[in-house]
Each structure stands twice: as C-alpha cells, then as structure tokens.
C-alpha cells in the first residue's frame, strides 16, 4: 500500500474574512446609499446598515407606509429613509424587478418538494402515529 505524503511545510490556514473585507471598498451609489459585494450580495443598502433599499421600497409600495412610519418601524433616522427613497425614485425599474424576482424565487422554493420542511415533518408525524 502506498504511503500518504504529508508535507509539514504546507499548512492549511482558515481564510481571514476581515482581510478580505478590508481589501474590498464600499461603493457610494448616492448620498446615504452604498453597496459592497459581501453585504447582501452587492444590493444597494442604507449606508452603515444592511437594510436594503428594496426593503424600504417594499414597505412603501406594499404596506403604504410613509417615511416617518418606515423610520419608526426599522429604527432608522428619517434622513436615512429619505435617502433610500430618493435612490429608489431614480432607480425604480431596477429595484422593482429585483423585488419581483425575489418573490418569484420564494414562491418556487415553497412549491418545490424540498422548499417546505413543515410538509415533510407533518408527513413523518402521520406515518409514526
């Protein structure tokens, strides 16, 4: 049997994510709106948070909240919400399409046999009893 070759000089190191993050800069898209490839997959977010502009747009469009209600609901300053809404006004089509794709992906996951774990657990419970 052949012996396994082990080089003591080569050691595997865990990747240091902080070094990787420091190497990639945040991009300012508009006042108060930034993006980073490692934060929410590079989607536009409110500066200093991980709250996406699409979330703010969804609260306004689907829940009929105004800027003050959104800031109270998400514990943000009013100017942060207004910056996100200003960015949304200029990039409405892009953000609306992203929201639609997200809801389509969610619906497909729920309808798939692997997406809904509660169905699987209920069927297991019925087979046991």
């Amino acid at each position: 049997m052949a012996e396994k070759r082990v080089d003591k000089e080569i050691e595997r190191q865990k990747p240091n994510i902080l070094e990787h993050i420091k190497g990639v800069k945040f991009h300012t898209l508009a006042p108060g709106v930034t993006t980073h490839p490692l934060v929410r997959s590079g989607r536009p977010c409110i500066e200093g948070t991980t709250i996406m502009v699409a979330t703010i747009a969804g609260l306004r469009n689907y829940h009929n909240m105004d800027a003050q209600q959104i800031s109270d609901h998400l514990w943000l300053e009013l100017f942060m919400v207004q910056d996100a809404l200003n960015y949304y006004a200029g990039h409405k089509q892009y953000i609306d399409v992203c929201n639609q794709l997200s809801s389509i992906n969610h619906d497909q996951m729920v309808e798939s046999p692997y997406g809904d774990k509660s169905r699987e657990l209920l069927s297991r419970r019925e087979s046991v009893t």
Side-chain angles (χ1 to χ4, degrees):
M1 187 190 271
E3 290 184 31
K4 217 179 203 182
R5 182 177 162 208
V6 178
D7 292 334
K8 291 188 179 186
E9 297 173 7
I10 301 173
E11 291 182 22
R12 286 193 170 248
Q13 295 179 355
K14 293 181 182 177
N16 187 350
I17 193 70
L18 291 177
E19 287 180 9
H20 186 67
I21 290 174
K22 288 177 185 176
V24 181
K25 302 291 183 197
F26 281 86
H27 298 284
T28 302
L29 301 175
V33 178
T34 60
T35 185
H36 189 284
L38 299 175
V39 177
R40 300 286 185 173
S41 300
R43 294 182 186 100
C45 294
I46 295 175
E47 186 175 11
T49 70
T50 59
I51 299 173
M52 295 184 299
V53 173
T55 303
I56 303 294
L59 289 172
R60 181 170 191 184
N61 294 339
Y62 302 117
H63 297 284
N64 298 323
M65 295 176 132
D66 63 359
Q68 183 63 51
Q69 291 172 327
I70 294 170
S71 68
D72 292 341
H73 179 69
L74 297 177
W75 293 45
L76 294 171
E77 296 293 332
L78 183 59
F79 73 90
M80 295 172 142
V81 174
Q82 289 171 339
D83 288 343
L85 290 173
N86 289 338
Y87 181 80
Y88 171 67
H91 301 85
K92 187 174 180 356
Q93 185 178 7
Y94 168 73
I95 293 172
D96 287 343
V97 167
C98 288
N99 279 344
Q100 289 172 353
L101 289 174
S102 176
S103 67
I104 289 170
N105 289 340
H106 175 268
D107 293 342
Q108 288 175 347
M109 283 178 51
V110 168
E111 292 171 3
S112 74
Y114 304 106
D116 189 4
K117 292 292 183 188
S118 61
R119 241 184 299 169
E120 180 184 338
L121 293 173
L122 286 175
S123 65
R124 284 185 190 171
R125 182 185 296 171
E126 290 171 1
S127 66
V128 171
T129 56

